[in-house]
Amino acid sequence: MEASRNAGHMNCIAVAECEARAALERILADSQFHATERHRKLLRYLVDEFFAGRSGQVKAYTIAIDVFGRPASFDPATDPIVRVEASRLRAALAQYYEALGERAELRIELPKGNYVPQFVISGEPLQGMPESAAPVAEPAAEQPVEPVIAPAAIARKWPPLAGFAALGAGAAVMAGAFYLSVADHLPWQPVFSAKPTIVVDVPTRLGADDDVQKKAGDYLVHALSQFSAVRTLAPVSPAGVDVASITGWVSSAPPVKLQGSKEYRLSIAYSTDERQHEVSWQVIDVQSNEALRAGISKAALDSGDAREIQEKLLSRLALSLAGEEGVIVSLEAARQLVTPSIGYGCVLQADVALARIDPEGLASAHGCLEKSVSYQAADADVLASLAMVLVATGEASAAPTVAERALKLADKAVALAPQSSQSYVAQMQARFAAGETEAAFISGRRAAALNPLDDAIPARLGLLLFVSGAYSDGVNLARVADAGSEYLHHDAALTMALEDYRSGRYREALRRARELANPADTAVNLLRVAAAGQLGLTREATSALDGLRLSRTRSPQPYDAELVARGYAPDLIALLDDGLAKAGLHPVAQQ
């Protein structure tokens, strides 16, 4: 009898493992599962360890070593990679099963707080798993082993103690059902974040300097408010000052901080003398009162009037704080790595991945943004970021349905936030990917008008103009972006490199392409190969060509077709083709 029962139990486990592994292979092969190779590898590892009976030994350290290739000196306390990637895998799984709906007969879930996968059929945990199966109580020797019969088919007579046990089991089931019903609302479920809040603090000074300070504070608030990445609150009025009697404006309520919005205080001191203007600043964490960043900027009074110099100095400060690579954005991105969230956190992920042209980062941001949209369908920042990610991954160029969706997302973002330059940038890129070039340029110019301080906007618009054949307009905007920033934005640098190549300055084009080198950046890599081919640099051309082929192992398109999909003008493609052919690459054949 004992042998018979064990045999039945083992058979149940084998069947369950077979079903679970089949479900694993289905999800890994499904294009709707938006996960990186790293996440797929992690999911397979956790399932393998589960069925090997080693889930109890799986920790952040073992995952870092076995899956992510970290050295034996890895310290989970200082490197959150495992926690971050596991969180992203959970989001990718949740998004996949949401899209699949009732067609998912068996779901693989990864509960938060551990690395033990859970297998669920029709909303109930799958029984017979080696890690989750409860020990089978041995029956009394004198009692025969009863066959397992559905509860509705037979009424059992329970001994008194068994009755209490049954009540306890029922309570446990009810508690489990209650947990499942409210889990989505508990704090360890999806954490929402909002864009950070900057409170501008301008300390009062005695004498004429106080007026200079006030004007500087007012202009800085104006400059920061043009950036979509932050919320900006003006300085609090000094005690005893009747604002209503001076301005006629009456506040209905004190400023309300958005839930989930991190608050920073920006303290500035502005001073002038006969030689220069100087602004010193400090970013402070309001919650901890910790000074996070500080700096001093100066501008000489050798040319221009004082007001223009002040505005230029403060505009650069606003860009360095709230721009793509700004201090506040960088601090928030670092915080997102430690405490992942959806909403603004996903927007940050997308911004970083877009700036770095990082395929894995884009795939992770895509899943995160899709999850955010399912919860926050009217968040303009999320919608705009998702549209830009769909364009950046090439999905919008390859599939008309994706291009249509990207455009709808961007249009909705514009409707929800008509004063947001980011919404119009997303609309520009989505329209360009859909082939609506003139409409795209209108959106780009609208974005530039809404925020003339952000050099990323003319850089992006300039590249689209240039590759479509408006060469002088594109180069002019690239120079505008260069003049307004301490570093040259990627798109502006690529525009200048393409102009050098088009004008026959192949060595300069090659130098710029080397500076932009990124294995995943097809446009830059093609330019590098073409320039090396024109210069007859065989070794460099071969090296660049090998890197280009390696980075495009999954791309089914010929190089020509990809340039066409990116909106490149025919004459520009012909010039690049000439260099590619001299480097030994025949685009149409795509060796």
Side-chain angles (χ1 to χ4, degrees), residues 264-268 280-285 289-296 317 320-321 325-335:
Y264 298 93
R265 187 168 81 250
L266 174 62
S267 180
I268 69 164
S280 59
W281 56 272
Q282 190 174 52
V283 176
I284 300 166
D285 185 328
N289 209 35
E290 177 186 2
L292 302 172
R293 295 286 190 279
I296 298 176
L317 175 58
S320 70
L321 291 169
E325 302 290 334
V327 170
I328 301 298
V329 174
S330 298
L331 288 169
E332 286 292 289
R335 195 163 72 96

Short mmCIF file of all heavy atoms in Angstrom, two decimals, residues 264-268 280-285 289-296 317 320-321 325-335:
data_model
loop_
_atom_site.label_atom_id
_atom_site.label_comp_id
_atom_site.label_asym_id
_atom_site.label_seq_id
_atom_site.Cartn_x
_atom_site.Cartn_y
_atom_site.Cartn_z
N TYR A 264 13.10 67.52 -3.77
CA TYR A 264 14.44 68.08 -3.63
C TYR A 264 14.34 69.58 -3.42
O TYR A 264 13.47 70.24 -4.00
CB TYR A 264 15.27 67.82 -4.89
CG TYR A 264 15.49 66.36 -5.23
CD1 TYR A 264 14.62 65.70 -6.09
CD2 TYR A 264 16.56 65.66 -4.69
CE1 TYR A 264 14.82 64.36 -6.41
CE2 TYR A 264 16.76 64.32 -5.00
CZ TYR A 264 15.89 63.68 -5.86
OH TYR A 264 16.07 62.36 -6.16
N ARG A 265 15.22 70.12 -2.59
CA ARG A 265 15.27 71.58 -2.42
C ARG A 265 16.51 72.09 -3.14
O ARG A 265 17.62 71.58 -2.94
CB ARG A 265 15.33 71.96 -0.93
CG ARG A 265 15.22 73.47 -0.74
CD ARG A 265 14.98 73.88 0.70
NE ARG A 265 16.22 73.89 1.48
CZ ARG A 265 16.51 73.04 2.43
NH1 ARG A 265 15.66 72.06 2.73
NH2 ARG A 265 17.64 73.13 3.11
N LEU A 266 16.32 73.07 -4.00
CA LEU A 266 17.41 73.69 -4.73
C LEU A 266 17.67 75.05 -4.12
O LEU A 266 16.87 75.97 -4.27
CB LEU A 266 17.06 73.81 -6.21
CG LEU A 266 18.06 74.57 -7.09
CD1 LEU A 266 19.41 73.89 -7.10
CD2 LEU A 266 17.52 74.74 -8.50
N SER A 267 18.78 75.17 -3.43
CA SER A 267 19.14 76.44 -2.80
C SER A 267 20.17 77.15 -3.67
O SER A 267 21.18 76.56 -4.07
CB SER A 267 19.72 76.17 -1.41
OG SER A 267 20.08 77.37 -0.77
N ILE A 268 19.89 78.41 -4.03
CA ILE A 268 20.83 79.14 -4.89
C ILE A 268 21.22 80.46 -4.23
O ILE A 268 20.48 81.04 -3.43
CB ILE A 268 20.24 79.41 -6.28
CG1 ILE A 268 19.10 80.43 -6.21
CG2 ILE A 268 19.79 78.14 -6.95
CD1 ILE A 268 18.74 81.04 -7.55
N SER A 280 25.92 80.07 -7.18
CA SER A 280 26.27 78.84 -6.48
C SER A 280 24.98 78.13 -6.11
O SER A 280 23.98 78.77 -5.77
CB SER A 280 27.11 79.15 -5.23
OG SER A 280 26.40 79.99 -4.35
N TRP A 281 24.99 76.82 -6.18
CA TRP A 281 23.75 76.07 -5.97
C TRP A 281 24.03 74.79 -5.19
O TRP A 281 25.15 74.29 -5.16
CB TRP A 281 23.08 75.75 -7.30
CG TRP A 281 23.97 75.00 -8.26
CD1 TRP A 281 24.82 75.55 -9.17
CD2 TRP A 281 24.09 73.58 -8.39
NE1 TRP A 281 25.48 74.57 -9.87
CE2 TRP A 281 25.05 73.35 -9.42
CE3 TRP A 281 23.51 72.49 -7.76
CZ2 TRP A 281 25.43 72.07 -9.80
CZ3 TRP A 281 23.87 71.21 -8.16
CH2 TRP A 281 24.83 71.02 -9.17
N GLN A 282 22.98 74.29 -4.59
CA GLN A 282 23.08 73.05 -3.81
C GLN A 282 21.75 72.32 -3.88
O GLN A 282 20.69 72.92 -3.67
CB GLN A 282 23.43 73.38 -2.36
CG GLN A 282 23.79 72.18 -1.51
CD GLN A 282 24.26 72.59 -0.12
OE1 GLN A 282 23.56 73.35 0.56
NE2 GLN A 282 25.41 72.12 0.29
N VAL A 283 21.79 71.02 -4.19
CA VAL A 283 20.60 70.17 -4.21
C VAL A 283 20.55 69.39 -2.90
O VAL A 283 21.51 68.70 -2.55
CB VAL A 283 20.62 69.20 -5.41
CG1 VAL A 283 19.43 68.26 -5.34
CG2 VAL A 283 20.60 69.97 -6.72
N ILE A 284 19.42 69.50 -2.21
CA ILE A 284 19.29 68.90 -0.87
C ILE A 284 18.10 67.95 -0.84
O ILE A 284 17.03 68.26 -1.38
CB ILE A 284 19.09 70.00 0.20
CG1 ILE A 284 20.30 70.94 0.20
CG2 ILE A 284 18.87 69.40 1.58
CD1 ILE A 284 20.08 72.23 0.95
N ASP A 285 18.29 66.78 -0.27
CA ASP A 285 17.21 65.82 -0.06
C ASP A 285 16.36 66.33 1.10
O ASP A 285 16.82 66.42 2.24
CB ASP A 285 17.80 64.45 0.27
CG ASP A 285 16.74 63.36 0.37
OD1 ASP A 285 15.60 63.68 0.78
OD2 ASP A 285 17.04 62.19 0.07
N ASN A 289 17.67 65.84 4.62
CA ASN A 289 18.43 67.08 4.72
C ASN A 289 19.89 66.89 4.27
O ASN A 289 20.77 67.66 4.64
CB ASN A 289 18.41 67.64 6.15
CG ASN A 289 18.55 69.15 6.15
OD1 ASN A 289 18.06 69.82 5.25
ND2 ASN A 289 19.23 69.69 7.15
N GLU A 290 20.13 65.85 3.47
CA GLU A 290 21.47 65.57 2.98
C GLU A 290 21.76 66.41 1.74
O GLU A 290 20.93 66.52 0.84
CB GLU A 290 21.60 64.09 2.63
CG GLU A 290 22.94 63.71 2.03
CD GLU A 290 22.99 62.27 1.56
OE1 GLU A 290 21.95 61.58 1.67
OE2 GLU A 290 24.05 61.83 1.10
N ALA A 291 22.94 67.02 1.70
CA ALA A 291 23.37 67.76 0.52
C ALA A 291 23.85 66.74 -0.52
O ALA A 291 24.82 66.02 -0.30
CB ALA A 291 24.49 68.73 0.88
N LEU A 292 23.17 66.68 -1.67
CA LEU A 292 23.45 65.65 -2.66
C LEU A 292 24.42 66.12 -3.74
O LEU A 292 25.28 65.37 -4.17
CB LEU A 292 22.13 65.20 -3.32
CG LEU A 292 21.08 64.64 -2.36
CD1 LEU A 292 19.77 64.41 -3.09
CD2 LEU A 292 21.57 63.34 -1.72
N ARG A 293 24.24 67.33 -4.23
CA ARG A 293 25.11 67.88 -5.26
C ARG A 293 25.25 69.38 -5.03
O ARG A 293 24.36 70.02 -4.48
CB ARG A 293 24.54 67.65 -6.67
CG ARG A 293 24.45 66.22 -7.10
CD ARG A 293 25.81 65.62 -7.45
NE ARG A 293 25.67 64.33 -8.08
CZ ARG A 293 25.45 63.19 -7.44
NH1 ARG A 293 25.35 63.19 -6.12
NH2 ARG A 293 25.33 62.04 -8.10
N ALA A 294 26.36 69.95 -5.48
CA ALA A 294 26.58 71.39 -5.36
C ALA A 294 27.50 71.84 -6.48
O ALA A 294 28.22 71.03 -7.09
CB ALA A 294 27.18 71.74 -4.00
N GLY A 295 27.47 73.13 -6.78
CA GLY A 295 28.34 73.64 -7.83
C GLY A 295 28.31 75.15 -7.90
O GLY A 295 27.49 75.81 -7.25
N ILE A 296 29.22 75.68 -8.70
CA ILE A 296 29.32 77.13 -8.91
C ILE A 296 29.51 77.38 -10.40
O ILE A 296 30.31 76.71 -11.06
CB ILE A 296 30.50 77.74 -8.14
CG1 ILE A 296 30.31 77.56 -6.62
CG2 ILE A 296 30.66 79.23 -8.47
CD1 ILE A 296 31.48 78.05 -5.80
N LEU A 317 22.10 76.28 -15.95
CA LEU A 317 21.91 75.59 -14.68
C LEU A 317 20.66 74.72 -14.73
O LEU A 317 20.68 73.56 -14.28
CB LEU A 317 21.81 76.61 -13.54
CG LEU A 317 21.49 76.03 -12.15
CD1 LEU A 317 22.53 75.00 -11.74
CD2 LEU A 317 21.39 77.15 -11.12
N SER A 320 21.40 71.65 -16.70
CA SER A 320 22.28 70.72 -15.98
C SER A 320 21.56 70.02 -14.83
O SER A 320 22.01 68.98 -14.35
CB SER A 320 23.50 71.46 -15.43
OG SER A 320 23.14 72.34 -14.37
N LEU A 321 20.42 70.56 -14.41
CA LEU A 321 19.65 69.95 -13.33
C LEU A 321 18.54 69.04 -13.85
O LEU A 321 18.32 67.94 -13.34
CB LEU A 321 19.04 71.03 -12.44
CG LEU A 321 20.01 71.85 -11.58
CD1 LEU A 321 19.30 73.05 -10.98
CD2 LEU A 321 20.63 70.98 -10.48
N GLU A 325 20.70 64.46 -19.08
CA GLU A 325 21.80 64.01 -18.24
C GLU A 325 21.89 64.85 -16.96
O GLU A 325 22.94 64.90 -16.33
CB GLU A 325 23.12 64.11 -19.03
CG GLU A 325 23.14 63.31 -20.31
CD GLU A 325 23.18 61.81 -20.07
OE1 GLU A 325 23.66 61.40 -19.00
OE2 GLU A 325 22.73 61.06 -20.94
N GLY A 326 20.79 65.49 -16.59
CA GLY A 326 20.82 66.40 -15.46
C GLY A 326 20.98 65.73 -14.11
O GLY A 326 20.79 64.52 -13.96
N VAL A 327 21.33 66.55 -13.13
CA VAL A 327 21.60 66.05 -11.77
C VAL A 327 20.37 65.37 -11.18
O VAL A 327 20.45 64.26 -10.65
CB VAL A 327 22.06 67.22 -10.87
CG1 VAL A 327 22.10 66.78 -9.41
CG2 VAL A 327 23.41 67.73 -11.32
N ILE A 328 19.21 66.03 -11.25
CA ILE A 328 18.00 65.47 -10.65
C ILE A 328 17.60 64.18 -11.35
O ILE A 328 17.25 63.18 -10.70
CB ILE A 328 16.83 66.49 -10.71
CG1 ILE A 328 17.20 67.79 -9.97
CG2 ILE A 328 15.57 65.89 -10.11
CD1 ILE A 328 17.47 67.63 -8.50
N VAL A 329 17.66 64.18 -12.68
CA VAL A 329 17.30 62.98 -13.44
C VAL A 329 18.25 61.84 -13.10
O VAL A 329 17.84 60.68 -12.94
CB VAL A 329 17.32 63.28 -14.95
CG1 VAL A 329 17.09 62.01 -15.76
CG2 VAL A 329 16.25 64.32 -15.28
N SER A 330 19.54 62.13 -12.96
CA SER A 330 20.52 61.10 -12.62
C SER A 330 20.28 60.53 -11.22
O SER A 330 20.38 59.33 -11.00
CB SER A 330 21.94 61.67 -12.72
OG SER A 330 22.22 62.09 -14.03
N LEU A 331 19.96 61.41 -10.28
CA LEU A 331 19.66 60.95 -8.93
C LEU A 331 18.43 60.04 -8.90
O LEU A 331 18.40 59.01 -8.23
CB LEU A 331 19.43 62.15 -8.00
CG LEU A 331 20.67 62.98 -7.62
CD1 LEU A 331 20.24 64.27 -6.93
CD2 LEU A 331 21.61 62.18 -6.72
N GLU A 332 17.41 60.42 -9.67
CA GLU A 332 16.19 59.61 -9.73
C GLU A 332 16.44 58.27 -10.42
O GLU A 332 15.90 57.25 -10.02
CB GLU A 332 15.10 60.38 -10.47
CG GLU A 332 14.49 61.50 -9.66
CD GLU A 332 13.68 60.99 -8.48
OE1 GLU A 332 12.60 60.42 -8.70
OE2 GLU A 332 14.15 61.14 -7.35
N ALA A 333 17.29 58.27 -11.44
CA ALA A 333 17.61 57.02 -12.14
C ALA A 333 18.35 56.06 -11.19
O ALA A 333 18.09 54.86 -11.19
CB ALA A 333 18.46 57.31 -13.37
N ALA A 334 19.26 56.59 -10.38
CA ALA A 334 19.97 55.76 -9.41
C ALA A 334 19.00 55.21 -8.37
O ALA A 334 19.10 54.05 -7.94
CB ALA A 334 21.08 56.57 -8.75
N ARG A 335 18.04 56.04 -7.95
CA ARG A 335 17.05 55.59 -6.96
C ARG A 335 16.17 54.50 -7.55
O ARG A 335 15.77 53.56 -6.84
CB ARG A 335 16.19 56.79 -6.54
CG ARG A 335 15.38 56.56 -5.27
CD ARG A 335 14.91 57.89 -4.70
NE ARG A 335 13.89 58.51 -5.49
CZ ARG A 335 12.57 58.40 -5.24
NH1 ARG A 335 12.16 57.67 -4.23
NH2 ARG A 335 11.70 59.03 -5.99
#
